[in-house]
Amino acid sequence: MSKWDKLLKRIYSLSKDFHFEELRKALESYGYQMKAPKGSSSHYTFRKAGCQPITISKHEPIKKVYVEYVEMVKQIVESEERNHENTR
């Protein structure tokens, strides 16, 4: 199983031990662009034209209270995968 497949499996299972870079990799692979925070904030915003922006706090690992970040990324991955299958 490739690293990408393992990452997708962890996203689908809503694993609680994600690192910011893993979520970043998933979002950027689907065309989202990261915008660094101003000042000393730890919140990064990912944007893609025509899509809702997503803001993720950069903690290593991501704190368990922020599990909604993983859920949002899961929804994006599911949507992107459906779109990819429909274009085949």
Side-chain angles (χ1 to χ4, degrees), residues 29-83:
S29 73
Y30 292 115
Y32 281 78
Q33 295 181 343
M34 183 180 74
K35 182 179 178 193
K38 294 181 180 179
S40 62
S41 176
S42 63
H43 290 74
Y44 289 73
T45 301
F46 294 83
R47 297 183 186 277
K48 180 178 176 180
C51 297
Q52 190 82 346
I54 179 172
T55 301
I56 299 177
S57 180
K58 185 176 184 180
H59 292 282
E60 297 297 341
I62 291 178
K63 294 179 180 180
K64 291 182 186 354
V65 297
Y66 295 126
V67 70
E68 70 266 11
Y69 296 149
V70 179
E71 290 172 1
M72 286 186 279
V73 173
K74 178 185 177 199
Q75 291 173 0
I76 289 168
V77 168
E78 289 173 338
S79 175
E80 293 289 340
E81 289 296 313
R82 279 193 305 271
N83 290 341

Side-chain angles (χ1 to χ4, degrees), residues 4 6-7 10-11 15 17-28 60-62 73:
W4 177 250
K6 288 178 184 177
L7 177 58
R10 285 171 31 86
I11 290 171
S15 179
D17 62 338
F18 268 98
H19 290 268
F20 175 84
E21 289 301 320
E22 293 173 308
L23 297 180
R24 176 183 179 178
K25 178 181 177 180
L27 290 169
E28 288 180 342
E60 297 297 341
I62 291 178
V73 173

